[in-house]
Amino acid sequence: MTTQGPGLHTHVLDTLGLEIAAGEHPPGQVLRTDELAQRFDVSRTVVREVIRVLESMHLVESRRRVGVTVRPTEAWNVYDPQVIRWRLAGADRPRQLRSLTVLRSAIEPVAAGLAARNATPEQCAALTACALGMVATSRGQQLEGYLEHDIAFHRIVLNASGNEMFARLGDVVAEVLAGRTHHQVMFEDPDPAAVTLHVRLAEAVREGDAVEAERLTKEIAVGALHELDVLAP
């Protein structure tokens, strides 16, 4: 019996997204709505909704008398957090992590320098609290707790920059950090030097030292790239 519902929509979307990201449906392949409905035992309505989401990410395109065609990688919305998550779940994870970490190394130091100039007292306090949270969860294999503070820390830096384009990258950075943790591209306990750098960065932002904030963030990025050399060569 054909079924439907939000849970099934999510299941179909994640399955197809992961398969496309992994190259199981190569560019140019045509996906048939009827075949997908039969495969997943869902209604055509559910399949069409899933296809609309995949189209919004530029993973596929629908054309009359052709069907749903998988698009080449260069057409994908590679900044979409869900696309990032799917790509990090596949065999191409090391290259994807490196690409995203290089992006961070180009963006976050500039954002940190701006944050030192523009952060509000409330943002400075929140940044310090996140840094202390990272210290508190940096031992005893508390990686999920550490991840929560780490994501919040970097979101605050991007938001405090005062640049709305940087701020929108918060979800991208969150997926990178989560991907490293959930796919074991992290040491069992975070690098103590990296934790210390985050504490010092919070201090630099609070003190309004833009040069130091930018320098420390570059050092954090270099450390992250070095970890990838060791854990995901």
Side-chain angles (χ1 to χ4, degrees), residues 35-84:
E35 292 175 1
L36 292 173
Q38 183 176 10
R39 173 190 171 188
F40 291 104
D41 191 24
V42 296
S43 69
R44 293 179 187 176
T45 300
V46 170
V47 173
R48 283 194 292 267
E49 289 172 355
V50 167
I51 294 303
R52 277 196 290 269
V53 175
L54 293 174
E55 280 187 295
S56 74
M57 300 171 176
H58 302 170
L59 269 64
V60 302
E61 61 179 343
S62 299
R63 283 192 281 180
R64 280 190 170 186
R65 293 187 292 275
V66 175
V68 179
T69 306
V70 178
R71 302 186 70 183
T73 308
E74 53 266 26
W76 297 356
N77 180 5
V78 293
Y79 290 101
D80 186 291
Q82 205 156 14
V83 174
I84 291 171

Short mmCIF file of all heavy atoms in Angstrom, two decimals, residues 35-84:
data_model
loop_
_atom_site.label_atom_id
_atom_site.label_comp_id
_atom_site.label_asym_id
_atom_site.label_seq_id
_atom_site.Cartn_x
_atom_site.Cartn_y
_atom_site.Cartn_z
N GLU A 35 8.83 5.30 -10.98
CA GLU A 35 9.76 4.31 -10.45
C GLU A 35 10.16 4.64 -9.01
O GLU A 35 10.29 3.75 -8.17
CB GLU A 35 11.00 4.23 -11.33
CG GLU A 35 10.73 3.65 -12.71
CD GLU A 35 11.95 3.71 -13.60
OE1 GLU A 35 13.03 4.18 -13.14
OE2 GLU A 35 11.86 3.29 -14.77
N LEU A 36 10.34 5.93 -8.73
CA LEU A 36 10.69 6.33 -7.36
C LEU A 36 9.54 6.08 -6.40
O LEU A 36 9.76 5.61 -5.27
CB LEU A 36 11.08 7.82 -7.34
CG LEU A 36 12.39 8.18 -8.05
CD1 LEU A 36 12.56 9.70 -8.11
CD2 LEU A 36 13.59 7.54 -7.36
N ALA A 37 8.31 6.35 -6.84
CA ALA A 37 7.14 6.10 -5.99
C ALA A 37 7.03 4.62 -5.66
O ALA A 37 6.73 4.24 -4.52
CB ALA A 37 5.88 6.60 -6.69
N GLN A 38 7.31 3.78 -6.66
CA GLN A 38 7.24 2.33 -6.44
C GLN A 38 8.38 1.87 -5.53
O GLN A 38 8.18 1.06 -4.62
CB GLN A 38 7.31 1.61 -7.78
CG GLN A 38 7.16 0.09 -7.67
CD GLN A 38 7.14 -0.59 -9.02
OE1 GLN A 38 7.42 0.04 -10.04
NE2 GLN A 38 6.79 -1.87 -9.04
N ARG A 39 9.57 2.40 -5.78
CA ARG A 39 10.74 1.99 -4.98
C ARG A 39 10.54 2.29 -3.50
O ARG A 39 10.85 1.44 -2.64
CB ARG A 39 11.98 2.69 -5.50
CG ARG A 39 13.21 2.46 -4.64
CD ARG A 39 14.37 3.36 -5.03
NE ARG A 39 15.45 3.28 -4.07
CZ ARG A 39 16.52 4.06 -4.06
NH1 ARG A 39 16.68 4.97 -5.00
NH2 ARG A 39 17.46 3.92 -3.12
N PHE A 40 10.07 3.49 -3.20
CA PHE A 40 9.95 3.91 -1.80
C PHE A 40 8.56 3.64 -1.20
O PHE A 40 8.34 3.91 -0.02
CB PHE A 40 10.26 5.41 -1.67
CG PHE A 40 11.71 5.74 -1.92
CD1 PHE A 40 12.13 6.31 -3.11
CD2 PHE A 40 12.67 5.48 -0.95
CE1 PHE A 40 13.45 6.62 -3.35
CE2 PHE A 40 14.01 5.79 -1.17
CZ PHE A 40 14.41 6.35 -2.37
N ASP A 41 7.65 3.12 -2.04
CA ASP A 41 6.29 2.83 -1.61
C ASP A 41 5.64 4.09 -1.02
O ASP A 41 5.11 4.08 0.08
CB ASP A 41 6.26 1.70 -0.57
CG ASP A 41 4.84 1.20 -0.31
OD1 ASP A 41 3.97 1.38 -1.18
OD2 ASP A 41 4.59 0.67 0.79
N VAL A 42 5.72 5.17 -1.81
CA VAL A 42 5.10 6.43 -1.42
C VAL A 42 4.26 6.94 -2.59
O VAL A 42 4.37 6.44 -3.72
CB VAL A 42 6.14 7.50 -1.03
CG1 VAL A 42 6.92 7.08 0.20
CG2 VAL A 42 7.10 7.79 -2.19
N SER A 43 3.46 7.95 -2.33
CA SER A 43 2.64 8.53 -3.40
C SER A 43 3.49 9.37 -4.34
O SER A 43 4.58 9.82 -3.99
CB SER A 43 1.54 9.39 -2.79
OG SER A 43 2.09 10.55 -2.21
N ARG A 44 2.96 9.62 -5.53
CA ARG A 44 3.66 10.49 -6.47
C ARG A 44 3.76 11.91 -5.91
O ARG A 44 4.71 12.64 -6.23
CB ARG A 44 2.91 10.51 -7.81
CG ARG A 44 2.92 9.19 -8.54
CD ARG A 44 2.15 9.29 -9.83
NE ARG A 44 2.02 7.99 -10.48
CZ ARG A 44 1.33 7.79 -11.58
NH1 ARG A 44 0.69 8.80 -12.17
NH2 ARG A 44 1.25 6.58 -12.11
N THR A 45 2.79 12.28 -5.09
CA THR A 45 2.82 13.62 -4.47
C THR A 45 4.07 13.78 -3.61
O THR A 45 4.76 14.80 -3.67
CB THR A 45 1.57 13.85 -3.63
OG1 THR A 45 0.42 13.75 -4.45
CG2 THR A 45 1.61 15.22 -2.97
N VAL A 46 4.38 12.76 -2.81
CA VAL A 46 5.58 12.80 -1.98
C VAL A 46 6.82 12.91 -2.85
O VAL A 46 7.73 13.71 -2.59
CB VAL A 46 5.66 11.56 -1.06
CG1 VAL A 46 7.03 11.48 -0.38
CG2 VAL A 46 4.57 11.59 -0.01
N VAL A 47 6.87 12.11 -3.91
CA VAL A 47 8.03 12.14 -4.80
C VAL A 47 8.19 13.52 -5.43
O VAL A 47 9.29 14.07 -5.51
CB VAL A 47 7.92 11.06 -5.89
CG1 VAL A 47 9.05 11.22 -6.92
CG2 VAL A 47 7.98 9.67 -5.26
N ARG A 48 7.07 14.10 -5.89
CA ARG A 48 7.14 15.43 -6.51
C ARG A 48 7.63 16.48 -5.52
O ARG A 48 8.40 17.39 -5.88
CB ARG A 48 5.77 15.82 -7.08
CG ARG A 48 5.44 15.12 -8.40
CD ARG A 48 4.26 15.77 -9.09
NE ARG A 48 3.02 15.56 -8.34
CZ ARG A 48 2.17 14.55 -8.55
NH1 ARG A 48 2.43 13.65 -9.50
NH2 ARG A 48 1.06 14.43 -7.85
N GLU A 49 7.21 16.38 -4.25
CA GLU A 49 7.68 17.33 -3.23
C GLU A 49 9.18 17.18 -3.01
O GLU A 49 9.90 18.17 -2.87
CB GLU A 49 6.92 17.08 -1.92
CG GLU A 49 5.46 17.50 -1.94
CD GLU A 49 4.72 17.07 -0.69
OE1 GLU A 49 5.32 16.36 0.15
OE2 GLU A 49 3.54 17.44 -0.55
N VAL A 50 9.64 15.94 -2.98
CA VAL A 50 11.08 15.69 -2.81
C VAL A 50 11.86 16.26 -4.00
O VAL A 50 12.90 16.90 -3.82
CB VAL A 50 11.34 14.17 -2.66
CG1 VAL A 50 12.84 13.86 -2.81
CG2 VAL A 50 10.83 13.68 -1.31
N ILE A 51 11.34 16.03 -5.20
CA ILE A 51 12.01 16.54 -6.41
C ILE A 51 12.10 18.06 -6.37
O ILE A 51 13.11 18.65 -6.75
CB ILE A 51 11.28 16.06 -7.67
CG1 ILE A 51 11.38 14.54 -7.82
CG2 ILE A 51 11.84 16.76 -8.91
CD1 ILE A 51 12.79 14.00 -7.86
N ARG A 52 11.04 18.72 -5.89
CA ARG A 52 11.06 20.18 -5.80
C ARG A 52 12.17 20.66 -4.87
O ARG A 52 12.84 21.66 -5.14
CB ARG A 52 9.70 20.72 -5.33
CG ARG A 52 8.67 20.85 -6.45
CD ARG A 52 7.51 21.73 -6.03
NE ARG A 52 6.68 21.09 -5.03
CZ ARG A 52 5.62 20.32 -5.30
NH1 ARG A 52 5.29 20.10 -6.57
NH2 ARG A 52 4.91 19.78 -4.34
N VAL A 53 12.37 19.93 -3.76
CA VAL A 53 13.44 20.30 -2.83
C VAL A 53 14.80 20.10 -3.49
O VAL A 53 15.69 20.97 -3.42
CB VAL A 53 13.35 19.49 -1.53
CG1 VAL A 53 14.54 19.80 -0.62
CG2 VAL A 53 12.05 19.79 -0.78
N LEU A 54 14.97 18.98 -4.16
CA LEU A 54 16.24 18.70 -4.84
C LEU A 54 16.49 19.72 -5.96
O LEU A 54 17.64 20.12 -6.20
CB LEU A 54 16.24 17.29 -5.41
CG LEU A 54 16.23 16.15 -4.38
CD1 LEU A 54 16.08 14.80 -5.08
CD2 LEU A 54 17.49 16.16 -3.52
N GLU A 55 15.42 20.15 -6.63
CA GLU A 55 15.56 21.20 -7.65
C GLU A 55 16.02 22.51 -7.03
O GLU A 55 16.84 23.23 -7.62
CB GLU A 55 14.22 21.42 -8.37
CG GLU A 55 13.91 20.40 -9.44
CD GLU A 55 12.66 20.77 -10.21
OE1 GLU A 55 11.56 20.79 -9.60
OE2 GLU A 55 12.76 21.05 -11.41
N SER A 56 15.49 22.84 -5.85
CA SER A 56 15.87 24.09 -5.19
C SER A 56 17.35 24.09 -4.82
O SER A 56 17.97 25.15 -4.68
CB SER A 56 15.02 24.32 -3.94
OG SER A 56 15.40 23.46 -2.88
N MET A 57 17.92 22.89 -4.65
CA MET A 57 19.35 22.76 -4.35
C MET A 57 20.18 22.63 -5.62
O MET A 57 21.40 22.49 -5.56
CB MET A 57 19.58 21.53 -3.47
CG MET A 57 18.86 21.56 -2.14
SD MET A 57 18.99 19.95 -1.32
CE MET A 57 18.17 20.32 0.24
N HIS A 58 19.49 22.60 -6.77
CA HIS A 58 20.13 22.49 -8.09
C HIS A 58 20.79 21.12 -8.30
O HIS A 58 21.70 21.01 -9.14
CB HIS A 58 21.14 23.61 -8.32
CG HIS A 58 20.54 24.98 -8.23
ND1 HIS A 58 21.32 26.12 -8.22
CD2 HIS A 58 19.26 25.41 -8.14
CE1 HIS A 58 20.53 27.18 -8.12
NE2 HIS A 58 19.27 26.77 -8.07
N LEU A 59 20.33 20.11 -7.56
CA LEU A 59 20.86 18.76 -7.76
C LEU A 59 20.21 18.09 -8.97
O LEU A 59 20.83 17.23 -9.61
CB LEU A 59 20.66 17.89 -6.52
CG LEU A 59 21.81 17.89 -5.49
CD1 LEU A 59 22.00 19.26 -4.89
CD2 LEU A 59 21.55 16.86 -4.40
N VAL A 60 18.96 18.46 -9.25
CA VAL A 60 18.24 17.90 -10.39
C VAL A 60 17.48 19.01 -11.10
O VAL A 60 17.31 20.11 -10.55
CB VAL A 60 17.24 16.79 -9.96
CG1 VAL A 60 17.95 15.66 -9.22
CG2 VAL A 60 16.12 17.39 -9.10
N GLU A 61 17.02 18.72 -12.32
CA GLU A 61 16.13 19.64 -13.01
C GLU A 61 15.05 18.82 -13.71
O GLU A 61 15.31 17.71 -14.19
CB GLU A 61 16.89 20.51 -14.01
CG GLU A 61 17.58 19.76 -15.13
CD GLU A 61 18.29 20.70 -16.09
OE1 GLU A 61 17.98 21.90 -16.09
OE2 GLU A 61 19.17 20.23 -16.85
N SER A 62 13.84 19.37 -13.74
CA SER A 62 12.71 18.71 -14.39
C SER A 62 12.40 19.38 -15.70
O SER A 62 12.31 20.61 -15.77
CB SER A 62 11.47 18.76 -13.48
OG SER A 62 11.71 18.10 -12.26
N ARG A 63 12.23 18.56 -16.73
CA ARG A 63 11.84 19.09 -18.03
C ARG A 63 10.77 18.20 -18.65
O ARG A 63 10.83 16.97 -18.53
CB ARG A 63 13.06 19.17 -18.97
CG ARG A 63 13.96 20.34 -18.66
CD ARG A 63 14.97 20.56 -19.76
NE ARG A 63 16.08 19.61 -19.66
CZ ARG A 63 17.11 19.60 -20.52
NH1 ARG A 63 17.15 20.44 -21.53
NH2 ARG A 63 18.07 18.73 -20.37
N ARG A 64 9.80 18.85 -19.29
CA ARG A 64 8.74 18.10 -19.93
C ARG A 64 9.29 17.16 -20.99
O ARG A 64 10.21 17.51 -21.72
CB ARG A 64 7.74 19.06 -20.58
CG ARG A 64 6.75 19.67 -19.60
CD ARG A 64 5.66 20.39 -20.34
NE ARG A 64 4.58 20.79 -19.46
CZ ARG A 64 3.44 21.33 -19.88
NH1 ARG A 64 3.27 21.55 -21.17
NH2 ARG A 64 2.51 21.67 -19.02
N ARG A 65 8.67 16.00 -21.03
CA ARG A 65 9.00 14.96 -22.00
C ARG A 65 10.42 14.41 -21.83
O ARG A 65 10.89 13.60 -22.63
CB ARG A 65 8.79 15.46 -23.45
CG ARG A 65 7.33 15.72 -23.77
CD ARG A 65 7.14 16.04 -25.24
NE ARG A 65 7.75 17.32 -25.60
CZ ARG A 65 7.13 18.49 -25.46
NH1 ARG A 65 5.90 18.55 -24.95
NH2 ARG A 65 7.72 19.62 -25.82
N VAL A 66 11.11 14.89 -20.78
CA VAL A 66 12.44 14.35 -20.48
C VAL A 66 12.42 13.65 -19.13
O VAL A 66 12.86 12.52 -18.98
CB VAL A 66 13.52 15.46 -20.48
CG1 VAL A 66 14.87 14.90 -20.04
CG2 VAL A 66 13.64 16.09 -21.86
N GLY A 67 11.87 14.35 -18.14
CA GLY A 67 11.82 13.81 -16.78
C GLY A 67 12.73 14.59 -15.86
O GLY A 67 13.09 15.74 -16.12
N VAL A 68 13.11 13.94 -14.78
CA VAL A 68 13.96 14.56 -13.76
C VAL A 68 15.39 14.13 -14.01
O VAL A 68 15.71 12.94 -13.92
CB VAL A 68 13.51 14.15 -12.34
CG1 VAL A 68 14.42 14.79 -11.30
CG2 VAL A 68 12.06 14.55 -12.11
N THR A 69 16.26 15.09 -14.34
CA THR A 69 17.64 14.78 -14.72
C THR A 69 18.60 15.25 -13.63
O THR A 69 18.49 16.37 -13.13
CB THR A 69 18.00 15.48 -16.04
OG1 THR A 69 17.04 15.14 -17.04
CG2 THR A 69 19.38 15.05 -16.51
N VAL A 70 19.54 14.40 -13.28
CA VAL A 70 20.56 14.76 -12.30
C VAL A 70 21.53 15.76 -12.94
O VAL A 70 22.01 15.55 -14.06
CB VAL A 70 21.34 13.51 -11.83
CG1 VAL A 70 22.45 13.90 -10.85
CG2 VAL A 70 20.38 12.51 -11.19
N ARG A 71 21.80 16.84 -12.22
CA ARG A 71 22.67 17.89 -12.75
C ARG A 71 24.13 17.65 -12.37
O ARG A 71 24.44 16.95 -11.38
CB ARG A 71 22.23 19.27 -12.22
CG ARG A 71 20.79 19.61 -12.55
CD ARG A 71 20.44 21.02 -12.14
NE ARG A 71 21.12 22.00 -12.99
CZ ARG A 71 21.04 23.31 -12.83
NH1 ARG A 71 20.32 23.83 -11.82
NH2 ARG A 71 21.66 24.15 -13.64
N PRO A 72 25.07 18.23 -13.11
CA PRO A 72 26.50 18.07 -12.78
C PRO A 72 26.84 18.76 -11.46
O PRO A 72 26.17 19.72 -11.06
CB PRO A 72 27.21 18.73 -13.95
CG PRO A 72 26.20 19.63 -14.57
CD PRO A 72 24.86 18.99 -14.34
N THR A 73 27.89 18.28 -10.83
CA THR A 73 28.27 18.79 -9.51
C THR A 73 28.46 20.30 -9.49
O THR A 73 28.10 20.98 -8.52
CB THR A 73 29.57 18.11 -9.04
OG1 THR A 73 29.42 16.70 -9.14
CG2 THR A 73 29.90 18.48 -7.61
N GLU A 74 29.03 20.84 -10.56
CA GLU A 74 29.32 22.28 -10.58
C GLU A 74 28.06 23.14 -10.58
O GLU A 74 28.14 24.35 -10.34
CB GLU A 74 30.19 22.65 -11.78
CG GLU A 74 29.65 22.20 -13.11
CD GLU A 74 30.19 20.86 -13.56
OE1 GLU A 74 30.59 20.05 -12.68
OE2 GLU A 74 30.23 20.61 -14.78
N ALA A 75 26.90 22.53 -10.81
CA ALA A 75 25.65 23.28 -10.78
C ALA A 75 25.00 23.27 -9.39
O ALA A 75 24.10 24.06 -9.12
CB ALA A 75 24.66 22.71 -11.80
N TRP A 76 25.46 22.39 -8.51
CA TRP A 76 24.82 22.23 -7.21
C TRP A 76 24.99 23.48 -6.35
O TRP A 76 25.98 24.21 -6.49
CB TRP A 76 25.43 21.06 -6.45
CG TRP A 76 25.24 19.72 -7.10
CD1 TRP A 76 24.53 19.43 -8.23
CD2 TRP A 76 25.82 18.48 -6.67
NE1 TRP A 76 24.62 18.10 -8.53
CE2 TRP A 76 25.40 17.49 -7.59
CE3 TRP A 76 26.63 18.11 -5.60
CZ2 TRP A 76 25.77 16.15 -7.45
CZ3 TRP A 76 27.00 16.79 -5.47
CH2 TRP A 76 26.57 15.82 -6.38
N ASN A 77 24.04 23.68 -5.44
CA ASN A 77 24.18 24.74 -4.44
C ASN A 77 25.04 24.17 -3.30
O ASN A 77 24.53 23.63 -2.33
CB ASN A 77 22.82 25.18 -3.91
CG ASN A 77 22.95 26.27 -2.86
OD1 ASN A 77 24.05 26.76 -2.58
ND2 ASN A 77 21.84 26.64 -2.25
N VAL A 78 26.35 24.28 -3.46
CA VAL A 78 27.27 23.63 -2.52
C VAL A 78 27.30 24.32 -1.16
O VAL A 78 27.94 23.81 -0.23
CB VAL A 78 28.70 23.54 -3.11
CG1 VAL A 78 28.74 22.60 -4.29
CG2 VAL A 78 29.21 24.93 -3.50
N TYR A 79 26.63 25.47 -1.05
CA TYR A 79 26.56 26.15 0.25
C TYR A 79 25.33 25.72 1.05
O TYR A 79 25.18 26.11 2.21
CB TYR A 79 26.53 27.67 0.07
CG TYR A 79 27.83 28.25 -0.40
CD1 TYR A 79 28.01 28.60 -1.73
CD2 TYR A 79 28.89 28.44 0.48
CE1 TYR A 79 29.21 29.13 -2.19
CE2 TYR A 79 30.09 28.97 0.04
CZ TYR A 79 30.25 29.31 -1.29
OH TYR A 79 31.44 29.83 -1.73
N ASP A 80 24.46 24.94 0.44
CA ASP A 80 23.27 24.48 1.15
C ASP A 80 23.70 23.51 2.26
O ASP A 80 24.40 22.52 1.99
CB ASP A 80 22.31 23.77 0.19
CG ASP A 80 20.99 23.42 0.86
OD1 ASP A 80 21.00 22.52 1.73
OD2 ASP A 80 19.97 24.02 0.49
N PRO A 81 23.31 23.77 3.51
CA PRO A 81 23.76 22.90 4.62
C PRO A 81 23.42 21.42 4.42
O PRO A 81 24.21 20.55 4.78
CB PRO A 81 23.01 23.48 5.83
CG PRO A 81 22.79 24.91 5.48
CD PRO A 81 22.53 24.91 3.99
N GLN A 82 22.26 21.14 3.82
CA GLN A 82 21.90 19.75 3.62
C GLN A 82 22.77 19.08 2.55
O GLN A 82 23.16 17.92 2.69
CB GLN A 82 20.42 19.64 3.22
CG GLN A 82 19.79 18.31 3.58
CD GLN A 82 18.29 18.40 3.73
OE1 GLN A 82 17.67 19.39 3.33
NE2 GLN A 82 17.69 17.38 4.30
N VAL A 83 23.10 19.83 1.50
CA VAL A 83 24.00 19.30 0.48
C VAL A 83 25.38 19.02 1.10
O VAL A 83 26.01 18.00 0.82
CB VAL A 83 24.13 20.28 -0.71
CG1 VAL A 83 25.18 19.81 -1.70
CG2 VAL A 83 22.78 20.44 -1.41
N ILE A 84 25.84 19.93 1.94
CA ILE A 84 27.11 19.73 2.64
C ILE A 84 27.06 18.45 3.47
O ILE A 84 27.97 17.63 3.45
CB ILE A 84 27.44 20.94 3.53
CG1 ILE A 84 27.76 22.16 2.66
CG2 ILE A 84 28.63 20.63 4.46
CD1 ILE A 84 27.90 23.45 3.43
#
